[in-house]
Amino acid sequence: MEFELTPDQELMSETVRRLVERSIKPLIDRHDPNRTLPKEIFLLIFEKLAELGLTAARLPEAAGGSGIKMLDYGIMFEQIPAAIALSLVAHEVSVARMFADCNHEQRRRFLPDLISGRTIACTGSTEPDTGSDPRGVTTRLSRKGDSLVLNGRKMWITNVSACDLMLVTCLDCRKGETGSRVVKIVVERAHSPFEAKEIDTIGLRQGMLGEAVFDDCRVSEENLIESERGGTEVLKSSWAINRPLFGLMAVGMAQRAYDIAVEYAGMRKQFGKPIAAHQLVQKNLSDIVTAITSSRLLCYYALSQVDQGKPADGAAAMAKRYAQNACQEAVWQSMNVLGAMGLSTEARVEALYRDIRMIPIPDGTNEILALIHGRELTGMAAFRGTEKSLI
Ligand SMILES: Cc1cc2nc3c(=O)[nH]c(=O)nc-3n(C[C@H](O)[C@H](O)[C@H](O)COP(=O)(O)OP(=O)(O)OC[C@H]3O[C@@H](n4cnc5c(N)ncnc54)[C@H](O)[C@@H]3O)c2cc1C
């Protein structure tokens, strides 16, 4: 067992950290912290991330991806500011899903621009009445005259306002309503325009989270995914990677909150000495670092299970749930170390506190993650009796 990063991993982490400091943060800081960044900023950043292989980390090199280990991906991902990381993971997992499920011709048409960061992708699964249980989708794909049309509404979709391609989960009603099954289709915004708008949220306000409405939206039949494997398997393996990545987003936020808190504690004096010299402030700092370290290790563990081809659903669920809870508490404690200053927008910890509140929901709420882990521990699914679950 080895707990240190290898020299290569140190280099990967440092390379992303420097890219963020030199090229990404200055772009972000120039914009309103409470408004979605313009699409051109996301594209500029995606192009830079693409140079490091981060827009297609799960794809093999032969397919234009970086072919890196998921643990290495996680180590790099942790360095990326959360609003960008959210966008990146939504884009990158959509690329991985398309690679896994699309036929040769579809891959040729869609993937090169997505991999190079010239276009942005998203996955549209959630709907107003369909959240944790993905089986309930009602968006319909049907035939109208010679063409296929989509009708329905997708909610809480990362990247939707700026996306060029959306991988949409829908009901295939081409042969009528009865027996309709869940399928996926790639909607190309340029050929199949649809209405999309941002949803205002508590945190990650520079990021993109919104809804899309399909109203007789014409889609080419060539974009329908007729996967041999079926979307479900791909979606499941993508969750085992996404969940620890979300955990590492929380780790990154808690680390930034701690960095602010420890610096402040060294400077701020009360009772004649720096507050860092008071015993209970030291306990606070110790609690924060314990939360960050344990969360990071659990996320790394889950990703390394994926790399070794071992069952990772339970580890991934455990990692995200634990990391987000522990790191949310760590950010809260960091705010406390700053006293009233922690509440000011100037200190930037309050923004991290709002941002981290976004993490428990996507790719499995805390309750659903506990049930996924419980299913692995007991061999029994709590979702619907003994029926095999989709999540
Ligand atoms: C930042 C962010 C990014 C997102 N990105 C995307 C995206 O790119 N694409 C996409 O399709 N969706 C996305 N989503 C949507 C997300 O996947 C859903 O919000 C999530 O699956 C939960 O669904 P819901 O919000 O409808 O909650 P519900 O499913 O309605 O759950 C409400 C509450 O009930 C609990 N609950 C539900 N079922 C059970 C159960 N069986 N046992 C115990 N408790 C239960 C939940 O834990 C939760 O507390 C995103 C959401 C957020 C916040």
Side-chain angles (χ1 to χ4, degrees):
M1 201 180 289
E2 180 59 74
F3 286 98
E4 296 300 314
L5 298 191
T6 64
D8 279 352
Q9 288 168 334
E10 292 277 11
L11 185 64
M12 288 178 205
S13 170
E14 183 56 20
T15 304
V16 179
R17 200 190 61 74
R18 262 194 256 136
L19 175 76
V20 169
E21 279 308 314
R22 283 187 197 158
S23 309
I24 297 182
K25 258 185 103 296
L27 283 176
I28 297 176
D29 290 346
R30 245 178 264 151
H31 289 84
D32 184 341
N34 287 313
R35 294 194 61 179
T36 299
L37 293 168
K39 177 171 180 174
E40 50 282 15
I41 298 296
F42 278 102
L43 285 172
L44 273 176
I45 294 173
F46 272 29
E47 270 189 52
K48 293 180 197 304
L49 295 172
E51 284 165 21
L52 299 178
L54 294 175
T55 45
R58 294 172 223 203
L59 264 56
E61 279 182 272
S66 56
I68 52 173
K69 287 191 159 52
M70 289 302 100
L71 174 57
D72 296 342
Y73 180 30
I75 288 167
M76 291 194 272
F77 185 82
E78 190 184 328
Q79 300 297 329
I80 300 172
I84 304 299
L86 176 70
S87 242
L88 175 67
V89 74
H91 173 85
E92 194 267 339
V93 75
S94 304
V95 171
R97 285 167 179 156
M98 286 188 210
F99 173 73
D101 277 352
C102 283
N103 62 33
H104 181 75
E105 180 54 21
Q106 290 167 333
R107 286 181 182 178
R108 189 193 65 72
R109 283 169 48 219
F110 304 139
L111 292 182
D113 280 350
L114 293 173
I115 294 172
S116 61
R118 285 192 293 272
T119 52
I120 297 178
C122 67
T123 297
S125 176
T126 309
E127 297 179 356
D129 294 324
T130 305
S132 300
D133 181 1
R135 266 192 260 225
V137 289
T138 57
T139 297
R140 299 165 74 256
L141 180 71
S142 51
R143 210 170 273 292
K144 195 168 186 183
D146 287 344
S147 34
L148 295 185
V149 290
L150 264 183
N151 279 288
R153 192 162 155 223
K154 295 290 176 184
M155 287 282 288
W156 311 112
I157 309 304
T158 308
N159 292 349
V160 73
S161 55
C163 79
D164 299 285
L165 300 181
M166 193 199 305
L167 184 59
V168 176
T169 311
C170 54
L171 280 180
D172 181 2
C173 302
R174 285 177 297 168
K175 293 182 184 154
E177 302 294 321
T178 43
S180 53
R181 59 189 183 107
V182 175
V183 291
K184 292 217 168 68
I185 190 159
V186 178
V187 178
E188 294 171 275
R189 193 84 167 271
H191 305 303
S192 308
F194 56 85
E195 189 191 327
K197 63 170 191 244
E198 286 293 319
I199 303 172
D200 215 7
T201 50
I202 179 173
L204 299 178
R205 293 171 66 86
Q206 285 188 319
M208 294 185 274
L209 190 66
E211 63 174 290
V213 177
F214 300 108
D215 183 10
D216 270 347
C217 174
R218 285 176 193 281
V219 195
S220 164
E221 196 145 7
E222 288 172 0
N223 290 8
L224 186 60
I225 294 178
E226 305 277 10
S227 169
E228 291 278 305
R229 293 171 64 187
T232 309
E233 280 311 305
V234 179
L235 208 58
K236 278 183 74 172
S237 65
S238 60
W239 278 327
I241 297 165
N242 270 22
R243 286 171 180 153
L245 292 179
F246 273 107
L248 287 169
M249 276 173 70
V251 168
M253 290 185 234
Q255 180 69 57
R256 283 187 273 284
Y258 169 76
D259 292 342
I260 296 169
V262 77
E263 189 186 349
Y264 185 86
M267 290 178 332
R268 173 77 175 166
K269 288 191 178 141
Q270 288 297 294
F271 299 97
K273 57 183 179 181
I275 58 168
H278 292 299
Q279 291 172 352
L280 291 181
V281 173
Q282 291 193 3
K283 179 185 178 298
N284 262 338
L285 296 174
S286 167
D287 286 348
I288 297 167
V289 172
T290 306
I292 294 171
T293 309
S294 52
S295 301
R296 181 179 282 134
L297 288 175
L298 209 45
C299 294
Y300 287 178
Y301 165 71
L303 290 170
S304 95
Q305 292 288 101
V306 173
D307 286 332
Q308 293 172 60
K310 294 187 177 163
D313 283 355
M318 186 168 45
K320 182 187 173 225
R321 189 163 74 98
Y322 178 83
Q324 94 75 31
N325 284 339
C327 290
Q328 185 169 297
E329 176 67 21
V331 174
W332 171 263
Q333 286 194 347
S334 301
M335 276 177 95
N336 285 341
V337 170
L338 272 75
M341 186 53 103
L343 307 174
S344 73
T345 53
E346 185 193 331
R348 306 296 294 263
V349 194
E350 61 79 39
L352 292 166
Y353 185 67
R354 288 187 288 100
D355 287 349
I356 206 165
R357 191 58 192 83
M358 302 290 285
I359 305 297
I361 310 299
D363 284 29
T365 61
N366 278 349
E367 290 75 18
I368 296 297
L369 295 178
L371 297 180
I372 288 167
H373 192 203
R375 180 178 60 192
E376 191 171 286
L377 296 175
T378 63
M380 295 178 215
F383 302 103
R384 283 192 183 80
T386 54
E387 211 180 318
K388 201 169 183 300
S389 172
L390 276 178
I391 53 179

